[in-house]
Amino acid sequence: MAYVFCNQCGHRNPPGASFCSSCGNVLDLPDERTVVIAQVDPMQDAPGSQDNAAIRLGDISGHGVLVVRAGDLTGTRFSITKDTTKIGRTTDSDILLDDISVSRSHAEIVNSKSGLLVRDLGSLNGTYVNQVLIEQSSLTHGDELQIGKFRMVFFSKADILS
């Protein structure tokens, strides 16, 4: 039985775990680039029973990738390749989330000297990072970004390839 240890907090996790059960950090699995993201129960906002989505990360270009873990687009990947990535409901958005819970110009991800930043652009329903309402926040490997009813997990290219 080969346990998986968290690089963030050192917690011992059961074999096959993708996220640390102590701190929630994404576990480093050097021989695999496929992750399993637990489905979210939309009624209770809790992980579902045994319905998990296996998502193939594949090649990651740019700064990283957002993978939708809940909503109509579950499993969809969005590469963050630009220095400013617009997220919203309009067709000129870099990441188009076509749902009434998403504002036309909802948020943006900006590549700054200190790393990636998520900024809310005055949206009606707000932008959440790790279930905390933000106006602006850093975005790091393993963070959950919620825009409207869409929940996405961010995978940093640097952290996956290292």
Side-chain angles (χ1 to χ4, degrees):
M1 190 181 262
Y3 290 99
V4 180
F5 291 90
C6 178
N7 289 334
Q8 184 80 14
C9 70
H11 181 75
R12 183 176 75 170
N13 294 281
S18 296
F19 296 92
C20 178
S21 61
S22 177
C23 70
N25 189 46
V26 176
L27 296 175
D28 186 23
L29 303 173
D31 58 337
E32 292 188 16
R33 294 180 89 177
T34 300
V35 295
V36 176
I37 299 176
Q39 293 288 347
V40 175
D41 182 349
M43 299 302 289
Q44 296 181 4
D45 196 25
S49 57
Q50 296 180 12
D51 297 329
N52 293 326
I55 298 167
R56 189 91 178 135
L57 290 178
D59 293 330
I60 297 177
S61 59
H63 308 292
V65 65
L66 283 170
V67 179
V68 180
R69 70 177 292 210
D72 295 337
L73 301 174
T74 299
T76 304
R77 301 171 58 235
F78 296 107
S79 293
I80 309 298
T81 57
K82 297 182 177 182
D83 284 335
T84 301
T85 302
K86 302 278 186 183
I87 304 170
R89 203 175 70 223
T90 62
T91 54
D92 63 338
S93 298
D94 299 311
I95 297 177
L96 174 63
L97 301 175
D98 192 16
D99 186 78
I100 195 69
S101 64
V102 178
S103 296
R104 288 182 182 94
S105 294
H106 197 104
E108 66 183 3
I109 298 174
V110 179
N111 184 27
S112 68
K113 292 179 182 177
S114 60
L116 292 179
L117 295 176
V118 179
R119 290 187 190 137
D120 185 81
L121 299 175
S123 66
L124 183 62
N125 291 328
T127 301
Y128 296 81
V129 173
N130 297 326
Q131 301 176 351
V132 175
L133 180 65
I134 57 104
E135 289 184 23
Q136 178 173 304
S137 175
S138 63
L139 188 64
T140 58
H141 184 71
D143 282 347
E144 181 187 70
L145 175 64
Q146 181 177 349
I147 294 179
K149 69 178 187 177
F150 298 95
R151 290 179 173 224
M152 300 167 275
V153 178
F154 176 69
F155 296 94
S156 169
K157 179 179 181 178
D159 286 326
I160 288 175
L161 298 178
S162 61

